């Protein structure tokens, strides 16, 4: 098990991706500074705030890095803009790509609607944890 600094002992863990390959790819985008945003379905009792830190879990189920939330915006699917799509760092960085992928993801769980509330989260890389 990786040793991480004690300041992260009580920090929430995030995972990205549903396959080992996807998780590795998204983690690489984060550590390269390409992926600096994500979005999630709005939950009033679980809204991150600027300054919150999170641990990103790698494909090996171990802590890989830490990030700090820099900006949070609650919006709807149709109001997510090109800037956020680009910051998510995936595909061709376009809004159309983001819409297609995000819609497919939420449809898989029967949760998609054009007016569904989303939390758009921007973050910055704090630290990469060595093996």
């Amino acid at each position: 098990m990786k040793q991480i600094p004690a300041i992260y002992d009580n920090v929430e863990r995030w995972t990205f991706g549903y396959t080992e390959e996807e998780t590795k790819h998204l983690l690489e985008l984060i550590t390269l500074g390409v992926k600096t945003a994500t979005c999630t379905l709005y939950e009033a009792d679980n809204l991150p705030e600027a300054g919150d830190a999170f641990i990103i879990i790698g494909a090996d189920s171990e802590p890989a890095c830490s990030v700090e939330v820099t900006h949070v915006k609650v919006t709807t699917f149709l109001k997510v803009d090109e800037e956020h799509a680009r910051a998510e760092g995936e595909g061709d960085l376009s809004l159309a790509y983001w819409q297609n992928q995000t819609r497919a993801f939420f449809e898989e769980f029967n949760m998609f609607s054009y007016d569904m509330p989303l939390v758009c989260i921007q973050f910055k890389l704090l630290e990469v944890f060595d093996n």
Side-chain angles (χ1 to χ4, degrees):
M1 181 172 228
K2 288 184 183 177
Q3 295 295 324
I4 60 172
I7 59 170
Y8 300 114
D9 284 350
N10 297 310
V11 171
E12 186 177 326
R13 270 71 170 149
W14 285 354
T15 58
F16 290 98
Y18 286 95
T19 66
E20 184 176 331
E21 181 180 306
E22 186 180 26
T23 298
K24 285 180 181 179
H25 176 68
L26 294 174
L27 180 59
E28 180 180 23
L29 293 176
I30 292 168
T31 58
L32 291 173
V34 175
K35 181 170 182 62
T36 59
T38 192
C39 75
T40 188
L41 199 58
Y42 173 78
E43 296 176 40
D45 61 342
N46 194 24
L47 193 62
E49 297 179 359
D52 288 350
F54 293 90
I55 299 291
I56 307 299
I57 301 298
D60 60 358
S61 301
E62 291 287 330
C65 65
S66 61
V67 298
E68 180 182 323
V69 174
T70 58
H71 184 74
V72 176
K73 179 180 178 181
V74 178
T75 190
T76 63
F77 177 84
L78 286 177
K79 292 184 180 176
V80 171
D81 60 20
E82 188 84 34
E83 180 181 352
H84 180 81
R86 192 175 323 109
E88 287 222 13
E90 299 173 46
D92 66 3
L93 307 180
S94 71
L95 181 58
Y97 180 90
W98 180 90
Q99 288 172 332
N100 289 336
Q101 295 296 356
T102 303
R103 180 178 178 164
F105 171 81
F106 284 108
E107 282 178 338
E108 189 172 324
F109 298 98
N110 294 321
M111 299 169 62
F112 178 78
S113 73
Y114 288 108
D115 62 349
M116 66 184 197
L118 295 174
V119 181
C120 293
I121 304 164
Q122 293 179 341
F123 56 82
K124 66 179 180 181
L125 180 65
L126 291 177
E127 186 171 356
V128 176
F129 306 124
D130 294 324
N131 290 332

